[in-house]
Amino acid sequence: MRMARVLPVIVVASLFPACGSCRSTPAPAPLVYVSDEEGGFVAAVDPATATVVASIPVGKRPRAVKLSRDGKRLFVALSGSPRAGPGVDESKLPPADRSADGIGVVDLATRKLVSTLPSGQDPESFDLSPDGETLYVSNEETAELTVLDVTSGFVRGRAHVGREPEGVTVRPDGKVVFVTSEADSEVTVVDAETRTVLAHIPTAARPRSVVFTKDGQTAFATDEAGGKVTVIDAVGYKPLGDVPIHLSSPMPSGPRPMGAVLSPDGKLLYVTCGRGGSVAVLDVGARKQVRSIDGVGDRPWGIALSRDGTRFYTANGTSADMSIVDPASGNVEKRVHIGGLPWGVAVAP
């Protein structure tokens, strides 16, 4: 009987190696998703190998991208309006395809576009409510903010905002939405529930995006044509001053602040500088630029951080690639070819 009790233990033990020989398999790096405005797809990039592992067709002119709160879906702003830069004579452009407008929904498990939600005309950027149930979408051509129910696809309503709205960011408490207006050089503050416009906050020329501090008390608006970042009292709805942006190495166009992302500890703000080819690093507490990481790529726009904050990724429009950058050293570690016109960046959770 004693042998019968001991034998199973000996057999089981023989099936497993000692702990000294056990090796854990490292978890795969979260994928990075980059929209290609020209090619009509989203590239899934493995940052560990610096390779594109999938190209997901989504529709016309994909620009802003953002993960759902559960990380299972990717939302993509799609537009049927012809692409044109500032000052272009729109009468000479081809006709718009309004049927192409919408927010594309990509299932990340299958890497397929599963639906396109109504968004209003020419959606460019958007943000999600804290609970992930509502999308707030900027409609560049109609100067509107469209409020969209994610589950039903029902448009709850719209708010009139400044001309050529672009950047959309929900304050961390979910109560208000900040929308940049490129043409009016201001940020429109909209009540998230009632869609009432609460304030218009002046900025420097051509604001593109907005980032809040973690406590929601302060916001930073990137001003492309002004070469500055406007600091905003996000509760009192008033400007607190501007942070001039500079480059360590001169570029003919100078800095053109575009996208921005906050470091995980909330102490630094990374700002892409568009045609300046750099990323400016701002000290949030001191409200000043402390560094410039140059040579990132041609016209970096979208930017996102890895989960641990040790790398950031930029979508470089005119060099058709994505950069992997170590912010601590300032080194551009890899340039991953995307093709077309990379615009937005999102990192899987």
Side-chain angles (χ1 to χ4, degrees):
M1 294 298 292
R2 180 180 300 175
M3 196 64 182
R5 293 174 182 173
V6 174
L7 182 57
V9 177
I10 295 173
V11 172
V12 172
S14 68
L15 296 177
F16 295 93
C19 289
S21 62
C22 293
R23 292 184 180 180
S24 60
T25 302
L31 295 180
V32 181
Y33 297 95
V34 184
S35 61
D36 173 14
E37 183 180 6
E38 185 177 75
F41 67 87
V42 171
V45 179
D46 181 349
T49 60
T51 56
V52 175
V53 297
S55 293
I56 307 168
V58 289
K60 292 185 177 180
R61 293 190 67 198
R63 290 181 283 182
V65 290
K66 188 174 286 289
L67 272 294
S68 62
R69 297 300 184 199
D70 60 10
K72 295 180 179 180
R73 295 166 294 167
L74 181 75
F75 298 109
V76 189
L78 306 170
S79 174
S81 296
R83 188 169 60 85
V88 170
D89 184 354
E90 296 185 4
S91 66
K92 297 181 180 180
L93 295 174
D97 177 8
R98 293 277 71 94
S99 66
D101 292 340
I103 302 296
V105 183
V106 175
D107 182 312
L108 294 182
T110 61
R111 294 177 181 169
K112 291 183 178 180
L113 182 74
V114 294
S115 64
T116 301
L117 306 176
S119 64
Q121 184 171 312
D122 188 28
E124 180 160 1
S125 189
F126 60 89
D127 199 8
L128 275 165
S129 59
D131 62 7
E133 296 298 323
T134 307
L135 278 169
Y136 300 91
V137 185
S138 62
N139 304 121
E140 187 173 19
E141 293 179 352
T142 58
E144 291 178 312
L145 178 73
T146 294
V147 182
L148 173 65
D149 184 281
V150 172
T151 303
S152 68
F154 177 73
V155 174
R156 295 178 181 170
R158 294 183 171 88
H160 182 76
V161 295
R163 293 175 300 160
E164 295 183 26
E166 181 164 329
V168 181
T169 310
V170 180
R171 200 170 63 188
D173 62 7
K175 294 182 178 180
V176 296
V177 185
F178 278 31
V179 185
T180 63
S181 165
E182 297 177 43
D184 292 333
S185 297
E186 67 177 25
V187 170
T188 304
V189 182
V190 180
D191 184 288
E193 184 64 29
T194 66
R195 302 179 295 278
T196 303
V197 172
L198 302 176
H200 297 274
I201 306 169
T203 66
R206 198 172 166 80
R208 300 298 293 263
S209 59
V210 174
V211 172
F212 288 95
T213 53
K214 290 188 173 184
D215 61 9
Q217 298 295 303
T218 308
F220 298 89
T222 62
D223 307 316
E224 181 188 11
K228 301 176 180 180
V229 171
T230 299
V231 184
I232 297 171
D233 179 342
V235 178
Y237 309 143
K238 59 184 179 181
L240 299 174
D242 294 322
V243 180
I245 302 300
H246 60 81
L247 305 179
S248 297
S249 57
M251 295 290 285
S253 65
R256 294 290 184 267
M258 306 272 282
V261 65
L262 197 67
S263 63
D265 61 9
K267 294 181 179 180
L268 298 174
L269 185 71
Y270 300 103
V271 180
T272 57
C273 291
R275 291 178 177 85
S278 68
V279 171
V281 184
L282 276 61
D283 183 306
V284 170
R287 297 177 185 172
K288 67 177 182 179
Q289 183 180 348
V290 294
R291 233 176 131 200
S292 177
I293 300 175
D294 299 293
V296 170
D298 297 342
R299 200 176 183 268
W301 185 177
I303 183 170
L305 276 171
S306 62
R307 289 185 294 184
D308 59 6
T310 62
R311 299 293 182 274
F312 65 71
Y313 313 101
T314 61
N316 310 316
T318 51
S319 55
D321 58 13
M322 182 197 87
S323 292
I324 303 174
V325 183
D326 176 0
S329 66
N331 292 331
V332 179
E333 297 181 335
K334 295 285 185 180
R335 300 271 293 270
V336 183
H337 180 73
I338 303 296
L341 287 170
W343 201 99
V345 188
V347 179

